[in-house]
Amino acid sequence: MWILGISAYYHDSAAALIKDGQIVAAAQEERFCREKHYAGFPRQSIEYCLAEAGIPLHEVDNIVFYEKPFLKFERLLETYHAFAPAGFASFVKAMPIWLKEKLFQKRLLKQEFAALDADVDITAKLLFSEHHLSHAASAFYPSPFEQALILTMDGTGEWATTTVMLGEGRDIRLLKELHFPHSLGLLYSAFTYYCGFKVNAGEYKLMGLAPYGRPTYVEVIREHLVDIAADGSFRLNMRYFNYCTGLTMTNRRFDQLFGRGPRRPESEITQMDMDLAHSVQVVTEEIVLKLSRSLRQEYGVDKLCLAGGVVLNCVANGKLLREGIFDELWIQPAAGDAGGALGAALVGYHLHHQRDRAGLSGADGMSGSYLGPSFSDEDIGAALEHSGLCYELQDEDALIDAAAKALAEDKVIGWFQGRMEYGPRALGNRSILGDPRSPRTQSVMNLKIKYRESFRPFAPSVLREDVHEYFDMEGDSPYMLLVAPVQQHRRRQLSDVTGLEQVNQIRSDIPAVTHVDYSARIQTVSADVNPLYYRLIQAFKRLTGYGLVVNTSFNVRGEPVVCTPADAIRCFRNTDMDELYLGRWRVLKRG
């Protein structure tokens, strides 16, 4: 049985295809159309999934959309009614879009699929999941757990903003939920907006900025903005927020509370911005930990699955792991709305058709999240033919040796291999790599290659068996969704500086992956999941004694991660990257 899941029409549209409950392919549309966080119909992602499976559209048994538009429209109308007459301008702006596009999404979907294949009538094939159920399904069904609590947290779905569900076998049932407008995701997004970053895109920047700040505003947030109960449930004080009916996240009362207006995008980042980022991060972690403790105590289930945009906050995830509240955690790597496409397909298979899960083997069902397109060496060679670059086809051993040697010589390389990752993280197939020992790697990568803010940290990819050598963490973190401290014996004493001046301090013997609070966002690499990447890090270790490399996504600021060889070649030519490894091709800018 083939089931296609899609997410679209808000942000991060995507498609995922499963066969008999097993994931065959999944990808975000932004990677193909080259528009970051693309929200439209995921046409090219669907075409890719079908091509990967080698089937036409008419062989798909069901197509499942990741949420229910009518419930979302109901929430919109009830919200405007509750806050009337405030928000009239926003209402007037929103209604034509809803009436033209979003309310009649079933008709729109039929038109889009007809454009893909005019002979296929999808009316009988089309199903609709619910937003948070799609998130929950994406977290539980690929997990290695027979039974687990499922916690989903994001901005909002139809009504729910935080849900607790129980997964058992093929079944998922709702236990409790919090409703809009009380949303941890929207609280964090409000501070993202207020600190000058883009909502639904810049939240990870706020998280990266937080360690530079102090918890100056924690009590202000607790006293005025959010009431946190002992069990982790919470209510926002809507007198300070504008997202229910306005065109911004915060209002004048919010400005008065903190003594200024929102920071203008691209303007100077002040100590106040850093302190705000730190403070809302502290409050976010408090809510996540209180909620998790109460769930473990109330239900007695020892495993937890996580999904939704909030769980891309890997700092909070790392603290949840270290607290030991649950015996095991599993986090969906495509935790945001893109992952809703996969969850929707799994809802169709396991809940609509009541099909059992395959036998659990102890590993998850995500195949390392390497679910996107791959390209042959012939395809890559054709893309290189008119590039004007110097390139040579090598065998695998020679390729790995050359790449490891380049890294050991403090060069920054592009690494384009195998199937593209599904989700926001580059996990060693569409990555830019560097030497973690080098004190210049972070600044070079940020300013000359990624063209992004200097404060942004980089993540390490570390051999799974070596992780404890460098970080205070045991176990796996294959999807770069957990932050852990750098081991004490690797740290260095620092001079007393504050703010962004801390960027250039050498904080450990692996300075390129050590954030200002001595933390790192870790990817563990195993030989059975990504053997080529594992061999590269092994080769680097033989040369240097260090079993880890710097790993950041293969893109520049404002662009999606590269998808095709042509994307990678363009990025390589337009940056100060030193070398590029495309499949078995080694590429240089000059001979």
Side-chain angles (χ1 to χ4, degrees):
M1 174 178 285
W2 294 98
I3 299 183
L4 177 70
I6 59 172
S7 61
Y9 306 128
Y10 184 46
H11 62 90
D12 295 305
S13 63
L17 184 67
I18 65 173
K19 181 182 183 183
D20 300 330
Q22 303 300 307
I23 308 166
V24 174
Q28 296 116 288
E29 188 69 9
E30 68 166 22
R31 307 292 175 86
F32 300 96
C33 72
R34 310 308 300 160
E35 180 183 331
K36 201 163 187 178
H37 304 299
Y38 181 76
F41 182 73
R43 180 189 181 101
Q44 294 181 79
S45 299
I46 294 168
E47 291 175 332
Y48 153 67
C49 288
L50 296 174
E52 184 70 31
I55 62 169
L57 182 60
H58 69 79
E59 288 190 22
V60 172
D61 295 280
N62 284 112
I63 298 164
V64 190
F65 192 68
Y66 81 125
E67 63 182 9
K68 294 187 174 179
F70 276 105
L71 286 179
K72 210 163 194 177
F73 186 62
E74 175 189 84
R75 187 250 298 167
L76 186 74
L77 290 179
E78 287 196 23
T79 300
Y80 279 125
H81 181 265
F83 284 83
F88 181 73
S90 175
F91 179 82
V92 169
K93 184 176 180 179
M95 279 305 102
I97 298 172
W98 268 93
L99 294 174
K100 182 181 178 182
E101 299 176 6
K102 298 190 176 183
L103 184 57
F104 300 104
Q105 276 177 4
K106 186 172 184 178
R107 183 177 66 189
L108 181 59
L109 288 168
K110 289 171 66 175
Q111 291 171 350
E112 294 282 10
F113 276 102
L116 275 173
D117 189 337
D119 296 328
V120 178
D121 182 5
I122 70 159
T123 304
K125 298 177 183 283
L126 188 59
L127 302 171
F128 290 84
S129 179
E130 290 190 11
H131 188 101
H132 271 249
L133 179 58
S134 296
H135 277 318
S138 78
F140 176 63
Y141 291 125
S143 80
F145 307 147
E146 176 65 27
Q147 181 194 57
L149 287 174
I150 313 162
L151 178 60
T152 67
M153 299 173 286
D154 64 4
T156 183
E158 293 87 357
W159 274 106
T161 64
T162 301
T163 61
V164 181
M165 302 189 193
L166 178 65
E168 292 184 292
R170 72 182 181 198
D171 295 321
I172 293 177
R173 61 186 176 92
L174 178 67
L175 300 177
K176 60 175 72 175
E177 61 185 10
L178 288 173
H179 281 184
F180 183 87
H182 307 292
S183 165
L184 182 55
L186 291 176
L187 174 66
Y188 205 86
S189 290
F191 279 86
T192 300
Y193 162 81
Y194 192 70
C195 291
F197 304 118
K198 188 175 181 181
V199 173
N200 291 329
E203 282 79 4
Y204 60 94
K205 297 182 182 181
L206 195 73
M207 182 180 68
L209 188 63
Y212 294 90
R214 304 160 297 198
T216 309
Y217 301 102
V218 169
E219 289 307 317
V220 176
I221 295 171
R222 287 179 183 145
E223 181 179 349
H224 295 278
L225 300 184
V226 57
D227 180 23
I228 307 170
D231 67 355
S233 60
F234 57 90
R235 291 183 64 84
L236 302 188
N237 184 347
M238 297 313 300
R239 295 174 68 245
Y240 292 92
F241 299 94
N242 203 34
Y243 58 77
C244 280
T245 57
L247 302 174
T248 60
M249 293 299 296
T250 59
N251 59 24
R252 290 181 181 177
R253 192 174 282 112
F254 195 101
D255 298 348
Q256 292 166 358
L257 180 65
F258 292 107
R260 66 154 219 210
R263 182 180 78 92
R264 294 192 313 277
E266 306 303 326
S267 64
E268 180 186 358
I269 294 172
T270 66
Q271 185 64 50
M272 180 179 180
D273 297 305
M274 302 175 214
D275 294 346
L276 287 164
H278 187 104
S279 299
V280 74
Q281 180 67 32
V282 168
V283 172
T284 298
E285 292 165 10
E286 178 186 353
I287 291 171
V288 170
L289 292 176
K290 281 186 173 179
L291 185 56
S292 299
R293 287 192 190 97
S294 70
L295 293 177
R296 177 66 196 268
Q297 184 175 11
E298 181 175 0
Y299 297 106
V301 178
D302 63 1
K303 296 176 178 61
L304 180 68
C305 296
L306 294 162
V310 170
V311 307
L312 291 172
N313 192 309
C314 48
V315 179
N317 296 342
K319 292 195 174 178
L320 177 58
L321 178 70
R322 288 192 296 280
E323 287 289 316
I325 298 167
F326 288 88
D327 294 353
E328 294 183 75
L329 300 179
W330 194 86
I331 307 167
Q332 167 54 241
D337 275 13
L342 174 59
L346 293 166
V347 165
Y349 185 75
H350 294 293
L351 296 182
H352 179 76
H353 289 288
Q354 287 289 290
R355 300 294 180 93
D356 288 337
R357 298 166 74 192
L360 301 176
S361 63
D364 68 43
M366 289 297 295
S367 300
S369 212
Y370 305 114
L371 298 168
S374 63
F375 299 86
S376 69
D377 288 325
E378 291 75 16
D379 295 332
I380 296 168
L384 285 166
E385 191 171 350
H386 301 293
S387 66
L389 299 168
C390 301
Y391 49 91
E392 178 186 7
L393 186 64
Q394 300 184 325
D395 64 39
E396 190 172 282
D397 289 343
L399 187 92
I400 288 172
D401 288 344
K405 184 172 182 288
L407 290 171
E409 293 172 351
D410 201 11
K411 293 179 180 178
V412 176
I413 69 171
W415 186 253
F416 181 106
Q417 306 292 337
R419 296 183 71 177
M420 182 177 69
E421 299 90 340
Y422 177 51
R425 309 294 187 220
L427 302 171
N429 280 10
R430 300 291 185 275
S431 292
I432 298 172
L433 308 179
D435 184 347
R437 305 167 302 156
S438 172
R440 62 185 285 274
T441 296
Q442 181 180 8
S443 61
V444 169
M445 281 181 140
N446 269 330
L447 300 178
K448 293 191 174 184
I449 295 171
K450 300 286 283 188
Y451 304 130
R452 68 183 198 180
E453 298 90 348
S454 63
F455 67 83
R456 301 271 298 281
F458 287 106
S461 292
V462 57
L463 298 175
R464 167 63 186 83
E465 63 271 21
D466 287 356
V467 64
H468 192 64
E469 291 291 316
Y470 304 96
F471 309 105
D472 185 13
M473 189 184 86
E474 298 284 359
D476 294 327
S477 178
Y479 301 121
M480 208 183 283
L481 288 168
L482 295 169
V483 163
V486 172
Q487 289 284 16
Q488 286 284 349
H489 70 272
R490 295 191 174 275
R491 301 183 186 185
R492 295 185 180 178
Q493 294 296 319
L494 302 179
S495 57
D496 188 19
V497 299
T498 60
L500 294 183
E501 292 180 11
Q502 300 172 76
V503 169
N504 296 319
Q505 289 188 316
I506 298 174
R507 291 172 290 279
S508 75
D509 68 335
I510 44 173
V513 295
T514 305
H515 205 13
V516 294
D517 58 352
Y518 294 102
S519 70
R521 176 164 50 94
I522 297 162
Q523 179 199 4
T524 53
V525 181
S526 302
D528 57 337
V529 177
N530 194 331
L532 188 69
Y533 194 36
Y534 181 87
R535 287 188 62 200
L536 172 63
I537 303 173
Q538 270 192 324
F540 180 76
K541 182 180 179 180
R542 285 195 297 272
L543 292 173
T544 66
Y546 284 72
L548 73 169
V549 297
V550 183
N551 174 16
T552 188
S553 56
F554 200 148
N555 66 312
V556 296
R557 184 184 183 190
E559 289 189 1
V561 177
V562 299
C563 176
T564 67
D567 297 333
I569 291 166
R570 184 169 52 250
C571 186
F572 176 62
R573 295 184 67 168
N574 292 335
T575 66
D576 285 348
M577 237 180 294
D578 296 296
E579 299 184 8
L580 173 60
Y581 294 81
L582 280 169
R584 301 300 174 265
W585 294 92
R586 182 186 181 206
V587 185
L588 306 176
K589 289 177 178 172
R590 59 186 65 85

